[in-house]
Amino acid sequence: MQRRRGADLHRHWDVRTGLPRIAFRLATQGHALSRLNFIGAHAHTQYGELLANKFWLATDLIPFMLLGMALLKLGILGANAPPRTYALMLLIGYGIGIPLGLYELHLVEAGKFGPLAFAQANQTYQLSRLAMLTGHLGLALLIIRAGLFLGAQRVLAAVGQMALSNYVAQTIICTVLFFGFGFGLFSALQRHELFYVVGAIWAVELVWSPIWLKYYRFGPLEWAWRSLTYWQRQPFRQSQAKMAKVVLTHHHW
């Protein structure tokens, strides 16, 4: 009788957990189902992100790249167009972009920066963005054509020559500032305080880019990318570039 009772106990109870076998089975099945649900949700999220990335490529990145290529081909980005072209770009761009931007800001503020408010504002975002880009280009190219603020132009040109290095640098800075392994400031700053962060990063890039290019031909990542492109180590220091130019000229003669 005692042996039979022990066999029944072993059959109905799990000796490892002390739980009834039916409860243990239901718990493990529930864990497996929840795990499958998690995997399914994760896959669904990744699929959604993949579709969103494709949509972003098709409606954002590629069109703006093609637009930039077209403007360069037409000579507009090279400041070769008549001044009235840039004045027209400025007037039309800002005339459309500023009112639309204020309208979008009103929607977002009225919706207390909620997801629905951003969704409503995004309906006109690409148009306002394109318009503001056109206005910025018109203003910048008018300044270049007029030869104004040459010192500022040189500094900004240096930042542009190191665009990849500066982009990665500001990404690293913001990651350290806002992620948990760094200072963890995500959601800790007010919206106006974020402008202080932006201004500080801009200041650093505006200072270090001209200094760097005084001694080196490229930014560090631009140099690495160029070397990989040509599959040959490129001259990095300014002195190396001058020496290579002298050697090339001598060889040509």
Side-chain angles (χ1 to χ4, degrees):
M1 179 67 69
Q2 188 71 22
R3 184 178 299 175
R4 182 177 178 182
R5 183 177 298 174
D8 291 341
L9 185 66
H10 180 74
R11 186 168 63 251
H12 295 292
W13 289 79
D14 187 272
V15 295
R16 294 171 300 170
T17 62
L19 294 173
R21 283 188 177 276
I22 183 64
F24 179 70
R25 190 178 300 118
L26 289 173
T28 53
Q29 288 175 353
H31 174 73
L33 286 173
S34 64
R35 181 65 181 167
L36 286 174
N37 287 335
F38 171 77
I39 294 172
H42 183 64
H44 179 73
T45 301
Q46 286 191 324
Y47 180 68
E49 289 178 352
L50 180 62
L51 290 179
N53 287 336
K54 288 183 177 180
F55 181 77
W56 174 73
L57 285 172
T59 61
D60 190 302
L61 180 62
I62 294 176
F64 277 90
M65 286 180 61
L66 294 175
L67 177 62
M69 293 167 63
L71 292 176
L72 183 63
K73 187 75 173 178
L74 293 172
I76 293 177
L77 291 185
N80 298 320
R84 63 177 178 273
T85 300
Y86 302 121
L88 194 62
M89 290 171 61
L90 185 152
L91 292 174
I92 294 177
Y94 286 156
I96 296 174
I98 291 176
L100 268 182
L102 292 174
Y103 166 72
E104 292 161 1
L105 178 61
H106 169 72
L107 288 177
V108 172
E109 287 183 336
K112 300 186 183 302
F113 297 91
L116 181 59
F118 276 105
Q120 291 175 330
N122 280 338
Q123 293 178 358
T124 56
Y125 172 67
Q126 291 294 0
L127 178 59
S128 65
R129 182 186 180 197
L130 177 60
M132 290 300 294
L133 170 64
T134 304
H136 292 336
L137 282 175
L139 177 61
L141 290 166
L142 274 177
I143 292 173
I144 292 172
R145 283 292 302 257
L148 301 175
F149 310 115
L150 293 178
Q153 287 189 40
R154 284 191 289 269
V155 172
L156 290 172
V159 175
Q161 284 180 259
M162 296 177 55
L164 179 59
S165 296
N166 282 322
Y167 177 79
V168 173
Q170 67 190 31
T171 301
I172 294 173
I173 292 171
C174 289
T175 301
V176 173
L177 285 176
F178 294 105
F179 277 44
F181 61 80
F183 293 94
L185 294 178
F186 184 79
S187 296
L189 299 179
Q190 298 296 322
R191 295 183 183 276
H192 71 275
E193 292 175 322
L194 295 175
F195 287 103
Y196 305 150
V197 177
V198 173
I201 293 175
W202 279 6
V204 170
E205 293 181 350
L206 289 169
V207 170
W208 92 292
S209 297
I211 295 175
W212 178 275
L213 291 177
K214 185 177 180 180
Y215 300 99
Y216 299 95
R217 293 187 67 201
F218 313 103
L221 295 184
E222 285 77 11
W223 171 81
W225 187 262
R226 192 178 182 90
S227 297
L228 288 172
T229 300
Y230 291 101
W231 209 243
Q232 183 180 2
R233 182 186 176 90
Q234 298 295 303
F236 194 24
R237 290 181 174 273
Q238 292 288 2
S239 56
Q240 292 175 333
K242 292 177 182 177
M243 182 63 68
K245 189 174 182 180
V246 169
V247 171
L248 184 63
T249 304
H250 179 73
H251 179 73
H252 177 73
W253 282 101

